[in-house]
């Protein structure tokens, strides 16, 4: 990657980070839109999770199209297009998707609404693929992590404000205890606003003088990866076709949903076995840490999304407060805010500070971030005193950071185990304790992406860029795991369905142990691996 200049370009960076805000804003807003759609369209829990399926599936399909287009043409399509133009095109596609939401909502067709979500995500996929390397290139390589951490912080503000703002637009408030019927005009207004903002930022990018960023990395051959990626695509389609397949065969819809999960996970494990026997033709997937990491990213994104996507249904239960969908925004905001707490804390290590200063900030910053979350909700009229006990969870996060000592494998193992414990506590209790236990999954997820990413691409050499592309594709987990939890909720109850996050966190803890062993055999000391910038 070659920046236009070795000097920093703050005006270009400030322009660029606006798109990071949108990713967080829209993704976090799904937690409000999902329960609305469930009620409005009288959906099952599984059907409501198809919003996340299409949204994160759009990321997967977008990445897959870009990968194969570049592979077939033997030209890096995005590099030829230019990162700036790639972002502009992505914003225009997302704007088109948002505008298509207007006739979709007016038609009363949930299928058309899902299609609109898909195109918004296709645009996001292109934006994300271009924006991350663009941010790194806007200055010296040594400060690239700082710029991505800044962008990640803006993304976190999006996740914090998204649920609150969307709830206000849909329900008129984010905190009223009075259930309100959502007017369709409110939904249409929301997507007109989003489309307008996307187009405004696209126009701003078009007229902004941004440096030209190019890459001289070659596309590495990897013929044997075609079949696994195709089979994973089939697994993705299987969930989409589960309704018609159920009608055709008479089998339960859960059969096809669980089969999709088995196909995807099984394909990765079989690829791991095959590549270990003959590395030729596997490209980046010849390295076990990469395939194990693909499964880890799949699991991590899946559990991060699934916990909050199913939270609206959980909070409707009498033993969890019997909340209406018009008043769950503060809880969704706290969940996504929990990721902000962890990421702000994790960003401390990116700065050249003394050990004592880092220790002090590791204690202070998480509670400052927590105060920001409470303040945002308080200003919207939410009684935030109900969230004060959550400070205990934040204190446990701080203890986890000190124990992990900034080592990615140890950090991932620590928060994976804490995630398992939190989910088990949530399953074993009800009421506020259970809600806070499930919400603390956000704290556990917060620091996982950079740890998984760093461990997965270590030792890949010339295949690092290709390996990164495969890891981005595994955002697919956000499309698969929420419907899996949703179908389990329909058959066994929403509370019991949170056993799915238990399994996910357990694998992430296992990955930390397993990848350490794999890298050790390759002569890599995992204690000296530097953590990549946060997602």
């Amino acid at each position: 990657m070659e920046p236009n200049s070795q000097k920093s370009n703050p005006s270009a960076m400030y322009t660029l980070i606006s798109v990071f805000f949108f990713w967080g804003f829209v993704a976090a807003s799904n937690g409000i839109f999902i329960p609305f759609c469930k009620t409005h369209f009288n959906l099952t829990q599984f059907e409501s999770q198809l919003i996340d399926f299409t949204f994160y599936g759009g990321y997967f399909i977008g990445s897959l199209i870009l990968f194969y287009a570049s592979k077939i043409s033997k030209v890096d399509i995005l590099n030829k297009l230019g990162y700036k133009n790639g972002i502009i095109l992505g914003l225009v596609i997302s704007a088109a998707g948002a505008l298509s939401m207007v006739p979709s909502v007016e038609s009363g067709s949930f299928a058309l609404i899902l299609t609109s979500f898909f195109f918004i995500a296709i645009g996001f996929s292109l934006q994300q693929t271009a924006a991350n390397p663009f941010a790194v290139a806007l200055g010296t390589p040594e400060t690239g992590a700082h710029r991505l951490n800044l962008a990640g912080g803006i993304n976190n503000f999006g996740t914090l404000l998204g649920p609150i703002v969307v709830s206000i637009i849909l329900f008129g408030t984010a905190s009223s205890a009075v259930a309100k019927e959502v007017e369709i005009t409110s939904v249409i207004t929301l997507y007109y606003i989003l489309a307008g903002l996307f187009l405004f930022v696209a126009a701003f990018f078009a007229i902004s003088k941004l440096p030209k960023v190019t890459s001289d990395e070659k596309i590495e051959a990897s013929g044997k990866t075609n079949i696994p990626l195709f089979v994973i695509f089939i697994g993705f389609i299987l969930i989409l076709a589960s309704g018609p397949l159920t009608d055709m065969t008479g089998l339960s819809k859960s059969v096809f949903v669980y089969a999709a999960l088995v196909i995807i996970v099984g394909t990765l494990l079989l690829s791991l076995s095959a590549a270990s026997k003959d590395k030729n033709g596997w490209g980046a997937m010849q390295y076990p840490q990469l395939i194990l990491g693909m499964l880890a990213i799949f699991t991590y994104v899946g559990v991060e999304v699934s916990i909050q996507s199913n939270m609206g249904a959980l909070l409707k239960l009498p033993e969890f407060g019997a909340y209406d969908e018009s008043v769950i925004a503060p809880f969704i905001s706290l969940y996504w805010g929990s990721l902000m707490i962890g990421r702000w804390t994790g960003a401390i290590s990116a700065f050249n500070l003394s050990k004592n200063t880092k220790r002090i900030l590791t204690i202070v910053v998480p509670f400052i971030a927590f105060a920001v979350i409470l303040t945002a909700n308080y200003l919207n009229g939410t009684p935030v005193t109900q969230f004060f006990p959550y400070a205990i969870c934040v204190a446990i996060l701080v203890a986890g950071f000190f124990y992990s000592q900034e080592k990615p494998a140890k950090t991932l193992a620590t928060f994976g185990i804490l995630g398992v414990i939190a989910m088990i506590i949530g399953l074993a209790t009800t009421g506020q304790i259970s809600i806070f236990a499930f919400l603390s999954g956000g704290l556990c997820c917060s620091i996982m992406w950079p740890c998984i990413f760093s461990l997965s691409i270590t030792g890949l050499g010339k295949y690092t860029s290709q390996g990164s592309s495969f890891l981005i594709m595994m955002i697919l987990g956000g499309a698969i795991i929420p419907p899996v939890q949703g179908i389990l909720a329909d058959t066994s109850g929403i509370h019991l369905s949170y056993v799915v996050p238990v399994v996910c966190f357990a694998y992430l803890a296992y990955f930390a142990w397993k990848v350490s062993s794999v890298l050790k055999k390759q002569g890599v000391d995992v204690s000296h691996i530097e953590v990549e910038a946060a997602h």
Side-chain angles (χ1 to χ4, degrees):
M1 207 74 59
E2 298 177 357
N4 181 268
S5 172
Q6 288 299 306
K7 295 182 179 180
S8 62
N9 194 328
S11 60
M13 186 63 201
Y14 297 146
T15 303
L16 179 62
I17 58 178
S18 60
V19 299
F20 285 79
F21 176 86
F22 284 129
W23 303 340
F25 185 95
V26 176
S29 301
N30 288 352
I32 302 299
F33 202 69
I34 287 171
F36 156 70
C37 284
K38 184 182 179 183
T39 300
H40 185 78
F41 293 100
N42 193 28
L43 307 173
T44 65
Q45 188 61 18
F46 164 75
E47 289 169 338
S48 72
Q49 297 306 298
L50 290 178
I51 289 177
D52 276 333
F53 171 78
T54 53
F55 185 75
Y56 290 95
Y59 272 90
F60 170 67
I61 297 299
S63 299
L64 202 62
I65 291 172
L66 195 60
F67 174 76
Y68 275 114
S70 297
K71 190 172 182 179
I72 293 170
S73 65
K74 295 183 179 180
V75 174
D76 188 331
I77 300 295
L78 188 57
N79 186 48
K80 186 174 182 178
L81 180 66
Y83 290 119
K84 174 183 172 179
N85 291 333
I87 293 170
I88 292 171
L89 179 59
L91 285 163
V92 171
I93 293 172
S94 292
L99 286 174
S100 72
M101 188 69 79
V102 175
S104 297
V105 170
E106 289 179 334
S107 71
S109 170
F110 186 56
L112 288 178
I113 288 176
L114 293 179
T115 303
S116 297
F117 265 110
F118 180 78
F119 281 105
I120 292 173
I122 287 284
F124 278 13
S125 173
L126 186 55
Q127 293 168 46
Q128 182 155 331
T129 304
N132 280 287
F134 201 0
V136 172
L138 289 176
T140 62
E142 292 78 14
T143 57
H146 297 281
R147 288 187 291 280
L148 277 179
N149 276 318
L150 171 62
I154 298 300
N155 176 271
N156 292 145
F157 273 119
T159 62
L160 172 63
L161 296 177
I164 297 173
V165 173
V166 170
S167 187
I168 290 172
I169 293 174
L170 293 184
F171 303 104
T173 177
S175 59
S176 173
V178 180
K180 297 187 178 182
E181 181 66 28
V182 177
E183 297 290 337
I184 292 302
T185 52
S186 298
V187 181
I188 292 173
T189 299
L190 170 63
Y191 284 97
Y192 270 135
I193 292 172
L194 279 176
L197 289 173
F198 289 145
L199 291 174
F200 173 78
V201 176
F204 189 62
F205 261 85
I207 63 175
S208 297
K209 292 184 178 180
L210 300 178
K212 184 176 181 180
V213 179
T214 59
S215 172
D216 57 4
E217 293 184 4
K218 296 181 179 179
I219 299 173
E220 297 294 340
S222 52
K224 290 183 179 178
T225 62
N226 291 333
I227 293 177
L229 291 178
F230 177 74
V231 174
I232 289 172
F233 172 74
I234 294 300
F236 168 76
I237 294 297
L238 193 59
I239 289 185
L240 188 63
S242 59
L245 288 172
T246 296
D247 295 336
M248 288 171 55
T249 64
L251 295 173
S252 170
K253 187 177 294 184
S254 60
V255 171
F256 301 104
V257 175
Y258 294 139
L261 180 64
V262 171
I263 287 171
I264 294 169
V265 174
T267 298
L268 289 172
L269 294 178
L270 287 173
S271 299
L272 178 65
S273 176
S276 66
K277 295 174 183 176
D278 182 8
K279 299 182 184 300
N280 293 327
W282 281 99
M285 290 178 71
Q286 69 184 270
Y287 296 93
Q289 63 265 37
L290 190 275
I291 297 181
L292 290 168
M294 289 171 69
L295 185 53
I297 289 289
F298 175 88
T299 306
Y300 152 72
V301 177
V303 71
E304 177 187 272
V305 173
S306 193
I307 289 174
Q308 64 87 35
S309 292
N310 288 281
M311 183 63 65
L314 182 78
L315 293 173
K316 279 192 169 186
L317 297 179
E319 60 268 36
F320 287 90
Y323 295 95
D324 184 79
E325 59 258 24
S326 63
V327 294
I328 67 170
F331 294 94
I332 303 299
S333 177
L334 179 58
Y335 175 78
W336 288 108
S338 295
L339 277 92
M340 183 180 78
I341 292 171
R343 288 170 182 171
W344 280 18
T345 308
I348 294 170
S349 61
F351 298 94
N352 187 22
L353 304 170
S354 68
K355 287 186 177 180
N356 285 336
T357 302
K358 283 186 177 181
R359 290 192 188 103
I360 293 171
L361 289 176
T362 300
I363 295 172
V364 173
V365 167
F367 289 98
I368 291 176
F370 183 42
V372 169
I373 297 165
L374 295 181
T375 301
N377 282 283
Y378 174 77
L379 293 175
N380 191 54
T382 299
V384 296
T385 53
Q386 62 182 318
F387 297 133
F388 285 176
Y390 194 69
I392 297 172
C393 299
V394 178
I396 294 173
L397 170 90
V398 172
F401 269 101
F402 278 115
Y403 175 74
S404 302
Q405 301 173 320
E406 300 180 13
K407 298 176 181 178
K410 193 173 184 180
T411 298
L412 185 58
T414 299
F415 287 100
I417 293 170
L418 285 175
V420 170
I421 294 171
M423 296 303 105
I424 290 175
I425 291 174
L427 285 167
T429 59
T430 56
Q432 191 179 56
I433 293 176
S434 182
I435 292 171
F436 283 171
F438 289 140
L439 290 176
S440 70
L443 294 171
C444 296
C445 286
S446 64
I447 199 64
M448 286 184 167
W449 173 279
C451 295
I452 297 169
F453 212 92
S454 299
L455 292 165
S456 301
I457 64 173
T458 295
L460 267 59
K462 65 180 181 179
Y463 294 105
T464 300
S465 180
Q466 186 185 89
S468 298
S469 297
F470 289 154
L471 289 172
I472 293 295
M473 286 182 196
M474 289 299 102
I475 290 177
L476 174 68
I480 304 300
I481 292 178
V484 168
Q485 184 173 349
I487 203 75
L488 181 60
D490 287 333
T491 55
S492 303
I494 186 65
H495 191 191
L496 182 61
S497 75
Y498 274 81
V499 72
V500 172
V502 175
V503 176
C504 292
F505 280 123
Y507 172 73
L508 292 167
Y510 166 78
F511 168 75
W513 169 80
K514 182 63 177 178
V515 77
S516 297
S517 174
V518 168
L519 291 174
K520 186 176 180 181
K521 289 179 181 178
Q522 296 176 8
V524 178
D525 183 356
V526 294
S527 64
H528 289 90
I529 296 176
E530 293 187 3
V531 176
E532 296 290 319
H535 170 57

mmCIF file of all heavy atoms in Angstrom, residues 106-129:
data_model
loop_
_atom_site.group_PDB
_atom_site.id
_atom_site.type_symbol
_atom_site.label_atom_id
_atom_site.label_comp_id
_atom_site.label_asym_id
_atom_site.label_seq_id
_atom_site.Cartn_x
_atom_site.Cartn_y
_atom_site.Cartn_z
ATOM 1 N N GLU A 106 -43.990 0.424 1.728
ATOM 2 C CA GLU A 106 -45.358 0.754 1.294
ATOM 3 C C GLU A 106 -46.086 -0.463 0.735
ATOM 4 O O GLU A 106 -47.304 -0.570 0.837
ATOM 5 C CB GLU A 106 -45.313 1.866 0.244
ATOM 6 C CG GLU A 106 -44.924 3.224 0.819
ATOM 7 C CD GLU A 106 -44.855 4.308 -0.242
ATOM 8 O OE1 GLU A 106 -44.609 3.961 -1.421
ATOM 9 O OE2 GLU A 106 -45.053 5.499 0.103
ATOM 10 N N SER A 107 -45.331 -1.405 0.135
ATOM 11 C CA SER A 107 -45.952 -2.603 -0.431
ATOM 12 C C SER A 107 -46.401 -3.572 0.666
ATOM 13 O O SER A 107 -47.233 -4.450 0.424
ATOM 14 C CB SER A 107 -44.965 -3.319 -1.355
ATOM 15 O OG SER A 107 -43.925 -3.937 -0.590
ATOM 16 N N GLY A 108 -45.836 -3.406 1.871
ATOM 17 C CA GLY A 108 -46.168 -4.331 2.957
ATOM 18 C C GLY A 108 -45.520 -5.684 2.794
ATOM 19 O O GLY A 108 -45.899 -6.647 3.465
ATOM 20 N N SER A 109 -44.516 -5.783 1.922
ATOM 21 C CA SER A 109 -43.838 -7.059 1.661
ATOM 22 C C SER A 109 -42.545 -7.143 2.466
ATOM 23 O O SER A 109 -41.613 -6.357 2.243
ATOM 24 C CB SER A 109 -43.529 -7.200 0.168
ATOM 25 O OG SER A 109 -42.678 -8.304 -0.061
ATOM 26 N N PHE A 110 -42.475 -8.090 3.390
ATOM 27 C CA PHE A 110 -41.264 -8.286 4.185
ATOM 28 C C PHE A 110 -40.106 -8.750 3.297
ATOM 29 O O PHE A 110 -38.955 -8.380 3.523
ATOM 30 C CB PHE A 110 -41.524 -9.307 5.293
ATOM 31 C CG PHE A 110 -40.372 -9.475 6.247
ATOM 32 C CD1 PHE A 110 -39.844 -8.390 6.937
ATOM 33 C CD2 PHE A 110 -39.808 -10.727 6.462
ATOM 34 C CE1 PHE A 110 -38.788 -8.542 7.827
ATOM 35 C CE2 PHE A 110 -38.749 -10.888 7.345
ATOM 36 C CZ PHE A 110 -38.239 -9.804 8.026
ATOM 37 N N ALA A 111 -40.422 -9.527 2.257
ATOM 38 C CA ALA A 111 -39.383 -10.019 1.339
ATOM 39 C C ALA A 111 -38.699 -8.853 0.625
ATOM 40 O O ALA A 111 -37.479 -8.843 0.450
ATOM 41 C CB ALA A 111 -39.991 -10.973 0.314
ATOM 42 N N LEU A 112 -39.484 -7.840 0.213
ATOM 43 C CA LEU A 112 -38.899 -6.677 -0.450
ATOM 44 C C LEU A 112 -38.065 -5.845 0.523
ATOM 45 O O LEU A 112 -37.038 -5.269 0.141
ATOM 46 C CB LEU A 112 -39.997 -5.819 -1.070
ATOM 47 C CG LEU A 112 -40.683 -6.401 -2.318
ATOM 48 C CD1 LEU A 112 -41.782 -5.461 -2.810
ATOM 49 C CD2 LEU A 112 -39.661 -6.640 -3.426
ATOM 50 N N ILE A 113 -38.512 -5.783 1.773
ATOM 51 C CA ILE A 113 -37.737 -5.074 2.795
ATOM 52 C C ILE A 113 -36.372 -5.746 2.981
ATOM 53 O O ILE A 113 -35.332 -5.073 3.083
ATOM 54 C CB ILE A 113 -38.507 -5.023 4.128
ATOM 55 C CG1 ILE A 113 -39.678 -4.042 4.013
ATOM 56 C CG2 ILE A 113 -37.594 -4.626 5.289
ATOM 57 C CD1 ILE A 113 -40.565 -3.986 5.224
ATOM 58 N N LEU A 114 -36.365 -7.074 3.004
ATOM 59 C CA LEU A 114 -35.107 -7.818 3.126
ATOM 60 C C LEU A 114 -34.199 -7.541 1.925
ATOM 61 O O LEU A 114 -32.976 -7.408 2.078
ATOM 62 C CB LEU A 114 -35.387 -9.315 3.236
ATOM 63 C CG LEU A 114 -36.104 -9.786 4.501
ATOM 64 C CD1 LEU A 114 -36.336 -11.305 4.445
ATOM 65 C CD2 LEU A 114 -35.304 -9.439 5.752
ATOM 66 N N THR A 115 -34.781 -7.455 0.742
ATOM 67 C CA THR A 115 -33.995 -7.155 -0.462
ATOM 68 C C THR A 115 -33.340 -5.793 -0.353
ATOM 69 O O THR A 115 -32.170 -5.615 -0.728
ATOM 70 C CB THR A 115 -34.897 -7.202 -1.712
ATOM 71 O OG1 THR A 115 -35.528 -8.481 -1.803
ATOM 72 C CG2 THR A 115 -34.089 -6.955 -2.971
ATOM 73 N N SER A 116 -34.064 -4.821 0.173
ATOM 74 C CA SER A 116 -33.500 -3.483 0.361
ATOM 75 C C SER A 116 -32.346 -3.508 1.350
ATOM 76 O O SER A 116 -31.314 -2.857 1.135
ATOM 77 C CB SER A 116 -34.594 -2.523 0.844
ATOM 78 O OG SER A 116 -35.619 -2.391 -0.119
ATOM 79 N N PHE A 117 -32.508 -4.238 2.447
ATOM 80 C CA PHE A 117 -31.425 -4.399 3.417
ATOM 81 C C PHE A 117 -30.187 -4.996 2.754
ATOM 82 O O PHE A 117 -29.054 -4.596 3.028
ATOM 83 C CB PHE A 117 -31.864 -5.310 4.569
ATOM 84 C CG PHE A 117 -32.380 -4.569 5.762
ATOM 85 C CD1 PHE A 117 -33.721 -4.613 6.098
ATOM 86 C CD2 PHE A 117 -31.532 -3.820 6.556
ATOM 87 C CE1 PHE A 117 -34.209 -3.930 7.203
ATOM 88 C CE2 PHE A 117 -32.000 -3.125 7.663
ATOM 89 C CZ PHE A 117 -33.344 -3.177 7.984
ATOM 90 N N PHE A 118 -30.410 -5.957 1.871
ATOM 91 C CA PHE A 118 -29.312 -6.639 1.186
ATOM 92 C C PHE A 118 -28.481 -5.647 0.366
ATOM 93 O O PHE A 118 -27.245 -5.663 0.415
ATOM 94 C CB PHE A 118 -29.870 -7.743 0.281
ATOM 95 C CG PHE A 118 -28.820 -8.504 -0.477
ATOM 96 C CD1 PHE A 118 -28.061 -9.479 0.145
ATOM 97 C CD2 PHE A 118 -28.591 -8.231 -1.821
ATOM 98 C CE1 PHE A 118 -27.090 -10.183 -0.566
ATOM 99 C CE2 PHE A 118 -27.626 -8.926 -2.536
ATOM 100 C CZ PHE A 118 -26.874 -9.903 -1.902
ATOM 101 N N PHE A 119 -29.156 -4.761 -0.356
ATOM 102 C CA PHE A 119 -28.425 -3.816 -1.200
ATOM 103 C C PHE A 119 -27.721 -2.736 -0.381
ATOM 104 O O PHE A 119 -26.649 -2.259 -0.764
ATOM 105 C CB PHE A 119 -29.358 -3.206 -2.247
ATOM 106 C CG PHE A 119 -29.615 -4.118 -3.400
ATOM 107 C CD1 PHE A 119 -30.827 -4.786 -3.531
ATOM 108 C CD2 PHE A 119 -28.629 -4.349 -4.348
ATOM 109 C CE1 PHE A 119 -31.049 -5.653 -4.589
ATOM 110 C CE2 PHE A 119 -28.843 -5.213 -5.413
ATOM 111 C CZ PHE A 119 -30.052 -5.868 -5.536
ATOM 112 N N ILE A 120 -28.312 -2.352 0.755
ATOM 113 C CA ILE A 120 -27.611 -1.431 1.652
ATOM 114 C C ILE A 120 -26.297 -2.068 2.110
ATOM 115 O O ILE A 120 -25.237 -1.425 2.131
ATOM 116 C CB ILE A 120 -28.488 -1.079 2.878
ATOM 117 C CG1 ILE A 120 -29.690 -0.230 2.460
ATOM 118 C CG2 ILE A 120 -27.658 -0.324 3.928
ATOM 119 C CD1 ILE A 120 -30.691 0.017 3.570
ATOM 120 N N ALA A 121 -26.348 -3.354 2.446
ATOM 121 C CA ALA A 121 -25.163 -4.069 2.930
ATOM 122 C C ALA A 121 -24.140 -4.301 1.823
ATOM 123 O O ALA A 121 -22.931 -4.287 2.089
ATOM 124 C CB ALA A 121 -25.580 -5.403 3.543
ATOM 125 N N ILE A 122 -24.603 -4.537 0.593
ATOM 126 C CA ILE A 122 -23.673 -4.677 -0.544
ATOM 127 C C ILE A 122 -22.817 -3.411 -0.651
ATOM 128 O O ILE A 122 -21.594 -3.465 -0.845
ATOM 129 C CB ILE A 122 -24.436 -4.906 -1.865
ATOM 130 C CG1 ILE A 122 -25.011 -6.330 -1.924
ATOM 131 C CG2 ILE A 122 -23.524 -4.656 -3.057
ATOM 132 C CD1 ILE A 122 -23.996 -7.407 -2.216
ATOM 133 N N GLY A 123 -23.469 -2.262 -0.515
ATOM 134 C CA GLY A 123 -22.744 -0.991 -0.546
ATOM 135 C C GLY A 123 -21.771 -0.874 0.610
ATOM 136 O O GLY A 123 -20.632 -0.417 0.446
ATOM 137 N N PHE A 124 -22.212 -1.299 1.808
ATOM 138 C CA PHE A 124 -21.336 -1.265 2.984
ATOM 139 C C PHE A 124 -20.110 -2.144 2.780
ATOM 140 O O PHE A 124 -19.006 -1.812 3.217
ATOM 141 C CB PHE A 124 -22.102 -1.738 4.220
ATOM 142 C CG PHE A 124 -22.947 -0.671 4.866
ATOM 143 C CD1 PHE A 124 -23.209 0.528 4.213
ATOM 144 C CD2 PHE A 124 -23.485 -0.863 6.118
ATOM 145 C CE1 PHE A 124 -23.989 1.516 4.803
ATOM 146 C CE2 PHE A 124 -24.259 0.108 6.725
ATOM 147 C CZ PHE A 124 -24.514 1.300 6.060
ATOM 148 N N SER A 125 -20.314 -3.296 2.141
ATOM 149 C CA SER A 125 -19.216 -4.230 1.902
ATOM 150 C C SER A 125 -18.124 -3.572 1.059
ATOM 151 O O SER A 125 -16.926 -3.679 1.372
ATOM 152 C CB SER A 125 -19.741 -5.482 1.182
ATOM 153 O OG SER A 125 -18.674 -6.334 0.803
ATOM 154 N N LEU A 126 -18.540 -2.867 0.020
ATOM 155 C CA LEU A 126 -17.578 -2.183 -0.847
ATOM 156 C C LEU A 126 -16.897 -1.040 -0.090
ATOM 157 O O LEU A 126 -15.680 -0.840 -0.195
ATOM 158 C CB LEU A 126 -18.296 -1.646 -2.090
ATOM 159 C CG LEU A 126 -17.423 -1.018 -3.184
ATOM 160 C CD1 LEU A 126 -16.342 -1.992 -3.643
ATOM 161 C CD2 LEU A 126 -18.297 -0.602 -4.363
ATOM 162 N N GLN A 127 -17.685 -0.310 0.702
ATOM 163 C CA GLN A 127 -17.109 0.784 1.493
ATOM 164 C C GLN A 127 -16.054 0.263 2.470
ATOM 165 O O GLN A 127 -14.967 0.830 2.593
ATOM 166 C CB GLN A 127 -18.208 1.493 2.284
ATOM 167 C CG GLN A 127 -19.226 2.260 1.453
ATOM 168 C CD GLN A 127 -20.422 2.666 2.294
ATOM 169 O OE1 GLN A 127 -20.273 3.160 3.401
ATOM 170 N NE2 GLN A 127 -21.617 2.450 1.767
ATOM 171 N N GLN A 128 -16.383 -0.830 3.161
ATOM 172 C CA GLN A 128 -15.475 -1.345 4.188
ATOM 173 C C GLN A 128 -14.194 -1.899 3.571
ATOM 174 O O GLN A 128 -13.105 -1.710 4.107
ATOM 175 C CB GLN A 128 -16.164 -2.433 5.014
ATOM 176 C CG GLN A 128 -15.284 -2.968 6.138
ATOM 177 C CD GLN A 128 -16.091 -3.557 7.276
ATOM 178 O OE1 GLN A 128 -17.210 -3.160 7.532
ATOM 179 N NE2 GLN A 128 -15.515 -4.503 7.974
ATOM 180 N N THR A 129 -14.325 -2.583 2.431
ATOM 181 C CA THR A 129 -13.153 -3.144 1.762
ATOM 182 C C THR A 129 -12.197 -2.039 1.331
ATOM 183 O O THR A 129 -10.978 -2.205 1.371
ATOM 184 C CB THR A 129 -13.577 -3.975 0.533
ATOM 185 O OG1 THR A 129 -14.512 -4.979 0.947
ATOM 186 C CG2 THR A 129 -12.377 -4.654 -0.105
#
